[in-house]
């Protein structure tokens, strides 16, 4: 087990290295010169050149990469070209809303999806199952920004249950925090929830036909335990896989939802940075998102081994 | 058993049981007019082929009929209580405590993600409230009783770490831990090797004797009936054909169907003469071997020899039987020869005149499971013509050939446009044979080709294989675990054990004077020898 863990952790290194190279090249090779942007429309060529030197943009690409990589490894993500603040600080400032949104969304989506999907799978063909699946089609085909504005219209403007936009820090109390995060989390989580629910339903349904379900019933196990202890437990691996894959959905959703609900999070930070070609910020955020994605999927890989004793690496 | 009169008290009595089929089935009732009883201390075998309703009857007793069935009619009296009138909660409380049940597939009947101990313990948790240590002690004792080695350690094993026989013992332990009055065993040994089957049958009989419980034993195998039954119920198409003591049924069957069932069981008499076959050499295998390398996490390597170097020769018109149990390497040998897997060393050479023909036109395979070896989304015609067309035959020609072959294997050529699920298992296996013959091969490899079939169907398919062999002068490599089947069709036998060829010779020689200890054990384990003797 320890050997497997160590091996899996080591495998993260090349993945992250490739991500680093791609992130670096993507921005350097994309059109548009940050020195020009910084210097403004009327700058003379010499001023632009001075800015280039100051940013190290006159160095060969490889040198730039090494310098950048050394900084990354020492935890220095660089300095924003515009705000002159360290990127690490910028991200940390914005981390709370995004982290809150992501966590609330996952708790909501997983917490609702697994029970619903399990019930639907165990009672396949019932009215409950059919209505769940019908709702899920709608939930999955509705884009988050459309859904977001609909939610704002119904729950914030018409019913007045939630604020229209903005974010209240948890330091100002849990309930106001929850109040501000509920609508965005619901909006962001719907597609994720539907995805997990459908996979849960399909996997549980498949497991309900297995021989060991019949054995459990023959032992006199109550149906509730037959479903949870036997069917759901065996369905855990595909469910976990989809939760991991869905994190990508979540990350891209965060960017949209933070804009719709005007939440000052990392998603907004990166959108603003892209518009201004603020390279260090873009790189920092992409690296962070990639690391989160890779680490969550690492955790899920390790989770397989705990969930299924046949999985040994 | 001390109290002899008690032996006649029925534990379960089935009266005029009828299980209606949903509308559109091939008959109105899956089970109709079935009445029999199981008394204390006796083993009643329900024997019949697939579709006879024997498993449905067992499931009806357990209250575990699949949802598609409507409520059964008649009565099932368990110690006087009508189970068909019992509430679901009452049925649940009876399952596992009053009635235990074991199933055919010990591989899939256990939950792969829980330890075997926990799965036995589950019965205790479902029916009793006991402290954890006491439950653990009872589980260990139950495991001991069914002959599982080192139960305190094995408690924490997962099903995939156990052999098929051990898994079945775990299921027996779970079914019997609460000392139920009745054990229902639904084909419990069908998926096991013959030597393991013998041990499990012995185990069930011992436990039944020591506890005086009633056993309802469902099987398709007359040999197993002869081993274990006190009384027999013969079923066909959902109805009882006849019932009686095991001696009476086996020696003086009244119904034609019973006679047919008994006659269809292949005997160990060699059907072919012992002399060598004088056809031209078709296949020569020299020191073929397969080893798998397993890499551990730290880069260490372990080699597992699935097949040790094996040589054989096969002539046109000859059938060689490769016999052995699971893990013996017989399927690995077949796959290496057919180039479905790459052998680690050695080679199989096709000899004879067709040297310019492509390999797959010269050697074809019929697989075990006719339910899965045909593509369900293609008509059987498409499946048959696919091979020849890959090698350049025109569609019209291939189709014409397919029509001929269908007639040859005893099916209506018009059925070529149907899909595999519209055929029975035996018909599908005929189609598989037609598909193989469409390539006009010289060598046919049959990998457990009749193992999934009912005995009566098995006999017909064996006859078909025999016919096509004569007609096309085929060389056949016949892989089977069933010695009785091998005796029917083979000229020579190769006995495999743990990846090694341990014995070979003519069927007659191997059966009458087995030289290897393993062959003797194999022969001794064949069910029904007790009755035949």
């Amino acid at each position: 087990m320890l050997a497997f863990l160590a091996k899996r952790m080591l495998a993260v290194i090349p993945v992250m290295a490739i991500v680093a190279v791609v992130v670096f090249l993507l921005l350097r090779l994309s059109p548009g010169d940050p020195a020009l942007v910084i210097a403004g429309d009327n700058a003379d060529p010499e001023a632009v050149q001075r800015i280039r030197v100051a940013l190290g943009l006159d160095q060969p690409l490889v040198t730039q990469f090494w310098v950048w990589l050394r900084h990354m490894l020492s935890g220095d993500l660089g300095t924003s070209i515009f705000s002159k603040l360290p990127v690490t600080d910028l991200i940390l400032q914005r981390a709370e809303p995004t982290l809150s949104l992501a966590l609330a969304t996952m708790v909501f989506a997983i917490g609702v999806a697994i029970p619903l999907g399990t019930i639907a799978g165990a009672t396949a063909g019932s009215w409950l199952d059919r209505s769940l699946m019908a709702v899920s089609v709608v939930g999955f085909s509705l884009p988050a920004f459309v859904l977001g504005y609909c939610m704002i219209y119904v729950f914030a403007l018409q019913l007045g249950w939630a604020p229209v936009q903005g974010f209240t820090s948890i330091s100002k109390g849990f309930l106001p925090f929850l109040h501000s995060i509920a609508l965005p989390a619901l909006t962001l989580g719907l597609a994720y929830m539907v995805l997990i629910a459908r996979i849960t339903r399909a996997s549980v349904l498949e497991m309900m036909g297995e021989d060991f379900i019949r054995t459990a019933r023959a032992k006199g196990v109550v149906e509730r335990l037959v479903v949870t202890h036997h069917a759901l437990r065996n369905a855990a691996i595909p469910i976990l896989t989809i939760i991991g894959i869905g994190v990508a959905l979540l990350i891209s959703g965060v960017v949209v939802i933070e804009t719709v609900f005007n939440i000052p999070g990392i998603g907004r930070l990166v959108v603003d940075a892209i518009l201004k070609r603020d390279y260090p910020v873009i790189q920092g955020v992409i690296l962070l998102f990639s690391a989160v994605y890779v680490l969550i999927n690492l955790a899920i890989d390790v989770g397989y081994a705990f969930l299924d004793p046949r999985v040994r690496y | 058993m001390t109290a002899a009169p008690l032996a006649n008290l029925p534990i379960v009595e089935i009266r005029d049981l009828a299980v209606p089929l949903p509308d559109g089935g091939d008959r109105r009732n899956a089970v109709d007019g079935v009445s029999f009883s199981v008394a204390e201390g006796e083993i009643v075998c329900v024997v019949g082929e697939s579709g006879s309703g024997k498993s449905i009857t067992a499931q009806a007793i357990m209250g575990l009929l699949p949802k598609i069935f409507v409520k059964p009619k008649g009565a099932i009296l368990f110690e006087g209580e009508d189970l068909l009138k019992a509430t679901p909660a009452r049925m649940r409380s009876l399952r596992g405590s009053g009635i235990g049940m074991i199933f055919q597939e010990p591989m899939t009947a256990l939950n792969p993600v829980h330890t075997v101990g926990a799965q036995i313990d589950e019965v205790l948790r479902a029916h009793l409230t006991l402290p954890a240590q006491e439950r653990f002690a009872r589980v260990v004792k139950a495991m001991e009783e069914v002959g599982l080695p080192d139960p305190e350690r094995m408690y924490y094993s997962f099903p995939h770490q156990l052999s098929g026989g051990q898994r079945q013992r775990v299921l027996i332990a779970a079914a019997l831990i609460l000392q139920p009055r009745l054990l229902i065993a639904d084909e419990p040994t069908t998926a096991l090797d013959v030597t393991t089957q013998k041990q499990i049958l012995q185990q069930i009989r011992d436990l039944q004797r020591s506890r005086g419980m009633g056993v309802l034993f469902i099987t398709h195998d007359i040999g197993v009936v002869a081993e274990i039954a006190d009384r027999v119920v013969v079923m066909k198409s959902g109805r009882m054909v006849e019932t009686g003591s095991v001696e009476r049924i086996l020696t003086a069957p009244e119904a034609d169907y019973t006679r047919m069932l008994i006659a269809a069981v292949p005997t160990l008499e060699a059907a072919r003469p012992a002399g060598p076959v004088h056809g031209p050499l078709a296949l020569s295998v020299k020191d073929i071997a397969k080893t798998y390398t397993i890499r551990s996490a730290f880069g260490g390597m372990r080699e597992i020899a699935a097949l040790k170097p094996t040589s054989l020769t096969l002539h046109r018109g000859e059938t060689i039987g490769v016999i052995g149990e699971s893990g013996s390497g017989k399927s690995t040998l077949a796959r290496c020869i057919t180039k479905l897997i790459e052998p680690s060393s050695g080679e199989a050479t096709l000899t004879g005149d067709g040297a310019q023909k492509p390999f797959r036109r010269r050697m074809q395979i019929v697989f075990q499971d006719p339910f899965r070896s045909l593509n369900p989304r293609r008509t059987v015609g498409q499946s048959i013509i696919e091979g020849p067309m890959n090698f350049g035959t025109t569609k019209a020609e291939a189709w014409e050939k397919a029509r001929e072959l269908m007639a040859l294997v005893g099916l209506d050529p018009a059925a070529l446009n149907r899909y595999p699920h519209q055929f029975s298992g035996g018909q599908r296996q005929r189609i598989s044979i037609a598909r193989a013959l469409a390539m006009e091969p010289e060598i046919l490899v049959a990998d457990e080709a009749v193992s999934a079939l009912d005995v009566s169907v098995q006999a017909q398919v064996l006859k078909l294989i025999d016919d096509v062999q004569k007609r096309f002068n085929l060389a056949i490599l016949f892989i089977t675990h069933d010695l009785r089947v091998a005796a029917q069709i083979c000229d020579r036998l190769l006995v495999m054990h743990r990846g090694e060829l341990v014995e070979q010779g003519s069927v007659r020689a191997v059966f009458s004077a087995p030289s290897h200890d393993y062959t003797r054990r194999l022969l001794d384990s064949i069910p029904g020898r007790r009755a035949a003797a």
Side-chain angles (χ1 to χ4, degrees):
Chain A
M1 194 63 215
L2 276 175
F4 158 66
L5 265 180
K7 237 167 89 173
R8 264 324 258 111
M9 307 267 250
L10 286 177
V12 168
I13 293 171
V15 173
M16 285 312 294
I18 292 170
V19 170
V21 172
V22 170
V23 165
F24 179 81
L25 287 180
L26 207 65
L27 290 168
R28 298 299 143 128
L29 298 181
S30 61
D33 185 341
L36 270 178
V37 180
I38 294 168
D41 288 341
N42 301 319
D44 57 298
E46 275 168 40
V48 174
Q49 188 55 34
R50 252 179 287 132
I51 295 171
R52 281 219 180 94
V53 174
L55 293 177
L57 293 176
D58 59 332
Q59 304 285 317
L61 215 53
V62 180
T63 321
Q64 284 187 46
F65 180 69
W66 281 121
V67 171
W68 178 75
L69 192 65
R70 266 213 313 279
H71 286 144
M72 290 293 131
L73 290 177
S74 59
D76 174 10
L77 293 177
T79 311
S80 163
I81 296 174
F82 290 92
S83 64
K84 312 289 183 209
L85 290 169
V87 173
T88 324
D89 291 358
L90 279 174
I91 289 178
L92 284 178
Q93 281 170 16
R94 308 277 196 123
E96 196 208 331
T98 302
L99 212 62
S100 314
L101 180 59
L103 275 180
T105 303
M106 288 188 93
V107 168
F108 152 70
I110 298 171
V112 174
I114 291 183
L116 280 188
T118 307
I119 295 171
T123 61
S126 65
W127 65 268
L128 184 76
D129 175 38
R130 280 167 209 220
S131 34
L132 273 176
M133 287 306 105
V135 170
S136 79
V137 173
V138 178
F140 207 69
S141 37
L142 213 57
F145 58 91
V146 175
L147 182 69
Y149 288 122
C150 292
M151 299 279 254
I152 291 175
Y153 180 75
V154 175
F155 292 102
L157 295 177
Q158 296 298 314
L159 295 170
W161 290 356
V164 175
Q165 53 181 30
F167 172 75
T168 310
S169 167
I170 198 164
S171 59
K172 299 206 174 73
F174 186 67
L175 278 179
F177 160 76
L178 210 61
H179 196 224
S180 74
I181 205 82
L183 269 195
L186 227 61
T187 309
L188 177 57
L190 190 70
Y192 193 41
M193 191 269 278
V194 163
L195 184 70
I196 301 171
R198 289 199 77 119
I199 297 290
T200 306
R201 175 190 179 271
S203 318
V204 167
L205 179 60
E206 192 189 329
M207 289 305 154
M208 289 304 284
E210 291 288 325
D211 285 351
F212 56 78
I213 297 293
R214 190 184 53 184
T215 309
R217 289 192 178 130
K219 289 193 289 194
V221 176
V222 291
E223 194 62 19
R224 182 176 51 82
L225 286 178
V226 170
V227 172
T228 54
H229 198 63
H230 291 279
L232 181 59
R233 183 68 175 68
N234 273 278
I237 285 207
I239 298 173
L240 201 62
T241 309
I242 209 70
I243 289 176
I245 293 171
V247 169
L249 202 75
L250 220 55
I251 289 174
S252 60
V254 159
V255 177
V256 176
I257 293 296
E258 285 186 355
T259 309
V260 171
F261 286 90
N262 199 16
I263 295 170
I266 297 172
R268 282 276 303 287
L269 178 70
V270 74
V271 171
D272 293 346
I274 291 170
L275 292 175
K276 286 191 259 182
R277 298 193 184 283
D278 197 343
Y279 281 173
V281 177
I282 303 173
Q283 285 169 340
V285 173
I286 295 183
L287 270 182
L288 175 76
F289 280 169
S290 313
V292 166
Y293 187 70
V294 168
L295 287 178
I296 286 184
N297 280 286
L298 167 69
I300 282 172
D301 263 15
V302 175
Y304 289 161
F306 283 101
L307 284 173
D308 191 333
R310 289 165 298 180
V311 177
R312 287 287 177 266
Y313 302 83
Chain B
M1 285 280 299
T2 45
L6 273 178
N8 294 322
L9 274 179
I11 294 171
V12 69
E13 193 180 349
I14 296 166
R15 284 188 194 157
D16 205 19
L17 178 72
V19 181
L21 273 174
D23 292 334
D26 61 336
R27 53 184 195 244
R28 273 197 39 234
N29 291 314
V31 166
D32 200 354
V34 168
S35 304
F36 64 87
S37 66
V38 181
E40 237 172 83
E42 76 169 343
I43 298 182
V44 174
C45 271
V46 178
V47 63
E49 297 188 297
S50 35
S52 63
K54 56 192 193 302
S55 284
I56 303 278
T57 307
Q59 287 164 0
I61 299 173
M62 285 299 270
L64 285 179
L65 280 173
K67 278 186 190 145
I68 57 154
F69 294 104
V70 231
K71 209 164 169 41
K73 297 198 246 324
I76 299 173
L77 300 177
F78 176 72
E79 300 190 308
E81 176 186 359
D82 189 352
L83 297 184
L84 294 182
K85 296 200 176 78
T87 63
R90 171 68 186 147
M91 282 313 293
R92 187 200 64 76
S93 75
L94 271 178
R95 287 197 290 266
S97 67
I99 310 171
M101 185 162 184
I102 54 177
F103 301 95
Q104 171 166 0
E105 278 290 342
M107 303 288 165
T108 54
L110 285 167
N111 188 331
V113 302
H114 296 300
T115 62
V116 296
Q119 296 190 56
I120 302 173
D121 184 40
E122 201 174 18
V123 184
L124 299 179
R125 275 178 290 146
H127 296 281
L128 309 172
T129 334
L130 288 175
Q133 297 106 314
E134 199 173 321
R135 292 203 319 264
F136 180 81
R138 284 187 68 167
V139 171
V140 166
K141 187 163 161 280
M143 291 172 78
E144 226 162 47
E145 268 183 305
V146 295
L148 284 166
D150 199 0
E152 275 172 38
R153 200 181 49 80
M154 196 176 264
Y155 184 102
Y156 300 102
S157 299
F158 287 97
H160 71 277
Q161 296 165 321
L162 272 53
S163 71
Q166 286 173 333
R167 279 182 249 209
Q168 195 58 281
R169 285 173 198 272
V170 167
L171 284 164
I172 295 174
L176 297 186
I177 191 167
L178 287 177
Q179 316 254 351
R181 308 281 296 122
L182 177 69
L183 173 69
I184 301 178
D186 189 356
E187 303 258 13
T189 58
T190 306
L192 301 176
D193 283 329
V194 53
T195 49
T196 315
Q197 163 169 288
K198 186 180 168 160
Q199 294 161 7
I200 295 286
L201 289 177
Q202 182 70 42
Q203 185 79 61
I204 292 174
R205 204 167 41 211
D206 288 351
L207 285 165
Q208 179 263 336
R209 295 262 158 84
S210 67
R211 296 183 175 194
M213 65 183 173
V215 176
L216 180 63
F217 195 104
I218 290 160
T219 181
H220 69 282
D221 190 333
I222 290 281
V224 169
V225 172
E227 284 294 314
I228 199 166
D230 295 314
R231 276 195 308 125
V232 182
V233 176
V234 183
M235 284 184 72
K236 182 190 184 229
S237 306
R239 292 179 169 276
M240 281 170 66
V241 174
E242 68 177 309
T243 174
S245 73
V246 64
E247 291 79 16
R248 216 270 296 143
I249 295 282
L250 290 182
T251 55
E254 279 162 10
D256 289 339
Y257 180 71
T258 315
R259 270 195 287 276
M260 188 280 292
L261 264 189
I262 295 170
V265 177
T267 58
L268 277 177
E269 289 298 305
R272 295 188 176 188
V277 176
H278 295 293
L281 186 66
L283 170 75
S284 141
V285 176
K286 195 147 171 33
D287 290 330
I288 209 163
K290 180 74 190 173
T291 47
Y292 289 98
T293 317
I294 294 177
R295 237 174 264 270
S296 82
F298 295 103
M301 306 250 233
R302 208 150 54 89
E303 288 211 328
I304 292 178
L307 177 67
K308 291 173 188 163
T310 302
S311 303
L312 64 97
T313 54
L314 180 64
H315 296 79
R316 294 294 288 265
E318 179 184 36
T319 304
I320 292 186
V322 181
I323 55 181
E325 299 186 302
S326 42
S328 65
K330 60 186 192 303
S331 284
T332 308
L333 175 66
R335 280 175 207 153
C336 282
I337 291 175
T338 50
K339 296 196 180 166
L340 289 177
I341 55 174
E342 195 62 37
S344 311
S345 63
E347 56 176 354
T349 324
L350 299 183
T351 50
D353 41 344
Q356 75 290 353
K357 272 169 54 180
F359 183 81
R360 286 275 173 253
R361 298 221 67 155
R362 305 185 64 189
M363 186 187 286
Q364 274 293 311
I365 311 151
V366 178
F367 296 98
Q368 166 167 10
D369 194 338
F371 291 85
R372 283 187 291 187
S373 63
L374 288 166
N375 186 333
R377 302 217 183 273
R378 316 194 84 183
T379 63
V380 300
Q382 286 171 331
S383 286
I384 294 175
I385 65 171
E386 186 182 16
M389 282 177 65
N390 282 343
F391 287 100
T393 312
T394 65
K395 187 165 182 180
E397 262 179 85
W399 201 258
E400 192 43 49
K401 179 91 188 166
R403 294 179 62 85
E404 274 172 41
L405 285 169
M406 282 294 269
L408 179 78
V409 298
L411 294 172
D412 180 4
L416 278 173
N417 287 318
R418 291 205 234 144
Y419 288 90
H421 71 266
Q422 294 169 294
F423 296 91
S424 70
Q427 287 171 332
R428 268 182 263 206
Q429 205 57 304
R430 286 170 188 271
I431 293 163
S432 298
I433 292 170
R435 186 199 53 72
L437 292 177
M439 300 291 265
E440 299 169 1
E442 299 144 36
I443 301 167
L444 193 64
V445 176
D447 189 357
E448 299 277 9
V450 298
S451 303
L453 305 175
D454 283 328
V455 276
S456 58
V457 182
Q458 193 175 59
Q460 293 160 13
V461 173
L462 283 174
K463 170 131 190 357
L464 174 66
I465 293 176
D466 198 52
D467 287 347
V468 298
Q469 175 168 43
K470 291 201 184 88
R471 194 181 166 113
F472 299 108
N473 197 25
L474 290 173
I476 297 181
L477 196 63
F478 195 92
I479 318 287
T480 183
H481 69 281
D482 191 331
L483 280 78
R484 295 173 297 186
V485 167
Q488 298 309 298
I489 193 153
C490 298
D491 296 294
R492 269 196 301 145
L493 289 182
L494 309 181
V495 184
M496 307 277 303
H497 182 46
R498 293 189 183 160
E500 203 171 351
L501 178 59
V502 294
E503 177 158 2
Q504 59 177 316
S506 74
V507 175
R508 220 161 283 227
V510 170
F511 281 5
S512 58
S515 63
H516 195 272
D517 182 49
Y518 173 72
T519 316
R520 275 194 289 275
R521 227 167 348 121
L522 213 52
L523 282 164
D524 189 49
S525 302
I526 293 171
R529 282 174 74 84
R530 184 182 65 153

Tab-separated table of all heavy atoms in Angstrom, chain B residues 62 143 189 262 282 288 434 439 458 496:
chain	number	residue	atom	x	y	z
B	62	MET	N	-38.265	-19.493	-1.260
B	62	MET	CA	-37.536	-18.442	-0.556
B	62	MET	C	-38.256	-17.097	-0.611
B	62	MET	O	-37.865	-16.156	0.043
B	62	MET	CB	-36.141	-18.261	-1.175
B	62	MET	CG	-35.145	-19.332	-0.833
B	62	MET	SD	-34.837	-19.423	0.932
B	62	MET	CE	-33.471	-18.278	1.131
B	143	MET	N	-17.163	-21.460	10.161
B	143	MET	CA	-16.176	-21.652	9.097
B	143	MET	C	-15.407	-22.938	9.317
B	143	MET	O	-15.071	-23.661	8.367
B	143	MET	CB	-15.228	-20.447	9.034
B	143	MET	CG	-15.895	-19.166	8.529
B	143	MET	SD	-14.843	-17.699	8.660
B	143	MET	CE	-13.766	-17.929	7.242
B	189	THR	N	-22.776	-27.124	-7.082
B	189	THR	CA	-21.462	-27.635	-7.485
B	189	THR	C	-21.242	-27.548	-8.988
B	189	THR	O	-20.206	-27.968	-9.491
B	189	THR	CB	-21.297	-29.108	-7.055
B	189	THR	OG1	-22.341	-29.875	-7.648
B	189	THR	CG2	-21.359	-29.251	-5.552
B	262	ILE	N	-31.429	-40.089	-18.180
B	262	ILE	CA	-30.414	-41.018	-17.683
B	262	ILE	C	-29.550	-41.529	-18.837
B	262	ILE	O	-28.327	-41.593	-18.740
B	262	ILE	CB	-31.076	-42.185	-16.929
B	262	ILE	CG1	-31.765	-41.640	-15.665
B	262	ILE	CG2	-30.062	-43.255	-16.566
B	262	ILE	CD1	-32.655	-42.623	-14.956
B	282	ALA	N	-1.782	-32.985	-39.300
B	282	ALA	CA	-2.369	-31.664	-39.509
B	282	ALA	C	-1.678	-30.600	-38.670
B	282	ALA	O	-1.536	-29.457	-39.083
B	282	ALA	CB	-3.859	-31.697	-39.168
B	288	ILE	N	5.537	-25.972	-26.673
B	288	ILE	CA	4.884	-24.679	-26.544
B	288	ILE	C	4.703	-24.387	-25.048
B	288	ILE	O	4.394	-25.283	-24.258
B	288	ILE	CB	3.551	-24.683	-27.329
B	288	ILE	CG1	3.225	-23.285	-27.825
B	288	ILE	CG2	2.408	-25.212	-26.486
B	288	ILE	CD1	2.186	-23.278	-28.916
B	434	ALA	N	-21.340	-23.874	-37.308
B	434	ALA	CA	-21.502	-23.474	-38.709
B	434	ALA	C	-20.573	-22.315	-39.039
B	434	ALA	O	-19.948	-22.266	-40.102
B	434	ALA	CB	-22.956	-23.078	-38.974
B	439	MET	N	-15.309	-21.270	-42.697
B	439	MET	CA	-13.945	-20.963	-43.126
B	439	MET	C	-13.277	-22.163	-43.770
B	439	MET	O	-12.122	-22.096	-44.158
B	439	MET	CB	-13.119	-20.505	-41.918
B	439	MET	CG	-13.657	-19.264	-41.244
B	439	MET	SD	-13.478	-17.818	-42.259
B	439	MET	CE	-11.947	-17.178	-41.645
B	458	GLN	N	-26.456	-31.654	-25.224
B	458	GLN	CA	-25.033	-31.967	-25.296
B	458	GLN	C	-24.794	-33.183	-26.193
B	458	GLN	O	-23.932	-33.165	-27.075
B	458	GLN	CB	-24.552	-32.274	-23.872
B	458	GLN	CG	-23.073	-32.309	-23.696
B	458	GLN	CD	-22.733	-32.488	-22.224
B	458	GLN	OE1	-23.125	-33.470	-21.602
B	458	GLN	NE2	-22.003	-31.545	-21.666
B	496	MET	N	-4.067	-32.603	-18.263
B	496	MET	CA	-3.263	-31.466	-17.815
B	496	MET	C	-3.498	-31.242	-16.328
B	496	MET	O	-4.607	-31.398	-15.829
B	496	MET	CB	-3.661	-30.184	-18.553
B	496	MET	CG	-3.674	-30.254	-20.060
B	496	MET	SD	-2.057	-30.005	-20.796
B	496	MET	CE	-1.580	-28.411	-20.155
